[in-house]
Amino acid sequence: MIPCPPVPRPDGARPARSKPRRPPRPELRLGPVLLARGTQGGRWRVSCCMLFRGDAEPADLRVEGVSLPVPPRFLAEWSLDGGVVERLWRYDFAVPRGVQDGRAGYGLDGDDRRWHFALPGTLVPPRIAFASCGGCEDEAAIAAAGLSRNARWGHLLGRHRAEPFHLLLLGGDQVYADGLWQGVEGLTAATAARRGSTPLPPDLPARLDRWYLEVYRHGWSQPETAAVLASVPALCMWDDHDILDGWGSHPDAVLDSDPYRAVFAAARKAFRLFQLGMADDPPETLLADPGTGVLSQGLTLNGVGVLALDLRSERRPDRVMSETTWEALPGWLDRYRGARHLLLMSGVPVLFPGLGLAERILNLIPGRQRLEDDLRDQWRSPAHREEWIRLLRLLAGFVRETRCRVTVVSGEVHLGGVGVLRGLDLEIWQLISSGIVHPPPAGFAVDMLERLAGRREPLADGLTLEFPGFAETGRRLLPARNWLSLTGQPDGALEAEWHAEGAPAPLRLTLPTLF
């Protein structure tokens, strides 16, 4: 068949040539979220996670310094009301590093939006930000306290834009999932019937998955938070509120009930996806055997090691970690023998005033008390004393043998603080920084902790624990929202700075190297 020629237009102009239609782009719902994967030779490895609405595969990612486009890898899918589908995708890439700091831009093919992150120079001391407690059990309490929800995130973002951070450490309670009792239909009824034979609603797992999706979208779509997550690769650990308040410290019968196991399964799935960027394949930072289910991570950047312990997956009322994990921990520490500093991330502080007497008093009161789970969570709980001493001895032995300085970095308690373990030619520091969103405590609880922190406490093996406090305030604890920066110095030291709400300047502490 001979094709008919185009019909000429009356004005003599050639007919317009139709442009090929592009397939509709999926809508970006969350992200990008950058996750640090450590160094590989002269490269800085990063994963980028994005949540899109729609079932179409998103475009490739273009990254400055990476010659080929980066294809997306599918992680997970959620089916929402009205037939809407949302899918999480991950992009993995490694960017060459120079001797000095650099900057890499990235964006999707065909999309005008661009994001940037700092490339740590191979000879540049690392600049690290630490934050925790990025939400609240009842977010109405934030405004009721006269606080702007994201003020500290905005402050962190401003500092990052002035002098970019290489790495963001998120120390637990990144999101607060506690509202699931009211937000997930059928959960309360299932929990009330946990001791009976009533089966779980068949759609409860899907409802829980959608709940945690909404929790992450709410917390991580905040403009200031989203801007930080898109521009600083993060290493994350989880704590109880990423699951539900007090997870692991409730009675065994509660933890082992079908509703609570369903909650934990959904929270774990969400944590793996959003905070680890992990489906079935373990990231390079995962330290534990994937078969154990433990999600401890680690990396090293320019002489500073980071070990983020998973202190929730195996937690029970009478233990923090299983014997399998305890046996693996010395091997994990061995990875950092060549480092000058090791930052050990623990959700609850390892070095903190003992509250065992308060816990024993609550245990005498019939029923389950509101603070009982919080006190059982602490390393200093009488239920965990043997494990606590075991950890102190393990860390002390590592410091003596390697001369690598160990500093514990923690959040969870909604205060800032400084503790130090000394004795037998060693010292281990504890830095506490939280919460970046959660309002600080006030009143009697803070006054009591301040008094307890004034004691110099002798421990086992000739070690002593004390809380020197902040020279700028004359107090041992910091009852204000805050975040922490750790900046490497040319001589190998680390300068810690607490950026507290309402403070005219950061509170500082210098941690010299041991060799």
Side-chain angles (χ1 to χ4, degrees):
M1 178 182 294
I2 300 175
C4 296
V7 178
R9 288 172 49 176
D11 58 6
R14 295 174 65 98
R17 184 177 298 173
S18 61
K19 293 182 179 180
R21 282 191 172 185
R22 289 183 178 178
R25 294 179 191 155
E27 176 191 355
L28 182 60
R29 297 285 290 165
L30 179 65
V33 175
L34 298 182
L35 300 173
R37 302 306 197 198
T39 57
Q40 182 182 42
R43 295 177 179 269
W44 180 230
R45 298 182 300 182
V46 177
S47 290
C48 173
C49 294
M50 295 186 181
L51 178 74
F52 292 95
R53 176 160 289 187
D55 55 8
E57 181 173 312
D60 290 345
L61 196 70
R62 295 281 182 174
V63 184
E64 292 176 3
V66 179
S67 57
L68 297 176
V70 182
R73 175 166 184 169
F74 173 76
L75 292 182
E77 175 181 292
W78 292 263
S79 297
L80 308 180
D81 294 338
V84 174
V85 173
E86 292 189 353
R87 288 181 169 178
L88 185 67
W89 301 80
R90 190 186 76 212
Y91 299 86
D92 301 317
F93 50 90
V95 188
R97 300 195 291 156
V99 173
Q100 298 300 320
D101 278 359
R103 184 171 182 258
Y106 68 100
L108 296 166
D109 262 345
D111 194 317
D112 295 334
R113 287 172 294 184
R114 302 287 292 173
W115 300 273
H116 299 83
F117 62 95
L119 288 174
T122 58
L123 297 182
V124 176
R127 294 187 298 277
I128 301 170
F130 174 90
S132 66
C133 299
C136 188
E137 297 90 336
D138 177 9
E139 294 224 345
I142 302 173
L147 302 172
S148 170
R149 186 192 190 281
N150 303 315
R152 288 293 88 193
W153 276 114
H155 186 267
L156 194 163
L157 180 62
R159 285 294 299 263
H160 169 64
R161 287 174 172 168
E163 190 174 11
F165 291 106
H166 302 129
L167 179 64
L168 173 66
L169 303 180
L170 294 177
D173 294 346
Q174 275 68 263
V175 296
Y176 276 63
D178 306 278
L180 53 80
W181 304 113
Q182 295 78 36
V184 179
E185 184 179 345
L187 181 60
T188 302
T191 304
R194 66 175 178 260
R195 290 186 175 85
S197 58
T198 305
L200 295 180
D203 64 344
L204 182 60
R207 289 181 181 274
L208 286 167
D209 285 345
R210 290 195 292 270
W211 171 257
Y212 283 97
L213 170 66
E214 291 295 334
V215 166
Y216 277 92
R217 272 204 312 227
H218 169 71
W220 284 11
S221 291
Q222 303 289 325
E224 299 86 350
T225 311
V228 173
L229 295 176
S231 57
V232 192
L235 185 77
C236 310
M237 67 175 297
W238 66 343
D239 207 29
D240 59 331
H241 291 283
D242 298 289
I243 310 165
L244 57 79
D245 186 19
W247 176 265
S249 296
H250 299 289
D252 286 329
V254 174
L255 295 174
D256 292 334
S257 66
D258 289 343
Y260 271 70
R261 297 312 300 178
V263 166
F264 179 74
R268 176 183 174 81
K269 178 181 176 181
F271 172 74
R272 284 166 51 112
L273 290 170
F274 290 104
Q275 300 199 44
L276 303 186
M278 175 182 175
D280 296 327
D281 56 325
E284 300 89 336
T285 53
L286 193 70
L287 298 177
D289 183 332
T292 65
V294 175
L295 300 173
S296 296
Q297 295 188 89
L299 58 77
T300 301
L301 175 60
N302 295 0
V304 176
V306 181
L307 172 55
L309 292 176
D310 178 359
L311 302 177
R312 288 294 162 181
S313 290
E314 300 177 309
R315 182 180 286 268
R316 307 292 290 187
D318 59 350
R319 79 173 188 208
V320 179
M321 297 183 289
S322 72
E323 185 60 31
T324 299
T325 298
W326 277 108
E327 291 174 357
L329 188 51
W332 297 349
L333 290 172
D334 279 345
R335 295 168 177 253
Y336 303 100
R337 282 183 172 270
R340 286 186 151 192
H341 291 263
L342 172 60
L343 301 176
L344 178 73
M345 294 172 63
S346 169
V348 295
V350 174
L351 305 178
F352 199 64
L355 298 170
L357 177 60
E359 184 178 347
R360 290 188 183 96
I361 292 173
L362 286 180
N363 287 338
L364 296 175
I365 303 174
R368 196 76 183 160
Q369 307 306 312
R370 181 176 179 272
L371 293 177
E372 200 167 341
D373 302 326
D374 293 330
L375 295 174
R376 183 61 62 91
D377 272 355
Q378 304 301 312
W379 278 104
R380 300 294 308 270
S381 167
H384 305 315
R385 177 172 173 78
E386 289 186 12
E387 284 185 282
W388 180 59
I389 295 296
R390 183 176 183 178
L391 179 62
L392 296 184
R393 286 173 172 162
L394 182 61
L395 296 178
F398 176 76
V399 172
R400 291 193 190 103
E401 186 176 347
T402 65
R403 305 310 295 167
C404 171
R405 176 178 289 282
V406 172
T407 300
V408 186
V409 188
S410 304
E412 206 273 344
V413 292
H414 309 151
L415 294 162
V418 181
V420 61
L421 184 73
R422 288 193 174 104
L424 303 178
D425 190 34
L426 71 86
E427 61 179 25
I428 295 173
W429 287 84
Q430 168 77 68
L431 312 181
I432 307 169
S433 173
S434 70
I436 194 167
V437 169
H438 199 291
F444 173 75
V446 176
D447 293 339
M448 180 189 70
L449 285 172
E450 182 75 22
R451 286 197 295 271
L452 288 174
R455 299 183 304 166
R456 185 172 181 268
E457 186 177 355
L459 302 177
D461 304 335
L463 300 172
T464 60
L465 172 61
E466 57 186 288
F467 300 88
F470 299 100
E472 296 89 345
T473 66
R475 294 177 61 91
R476 291 176 172 81
L477 299 175
L478 177 61
R481 297 195 301 179
N482 64 92
W483 61 276
L484 179 71
S485 63
L486 296 162
T487 306
Q489 304 300 306
D491 62 357
L494 280 178
E495 183 176 72
E497 293 184 306
W498 285 260
H499 303 267
E501 196 162 37
L507 311 181
R508 290 186 172 90
L509 174 70
T510 299
L511 303 169
T513 184
L514 296 183
F515 64 85

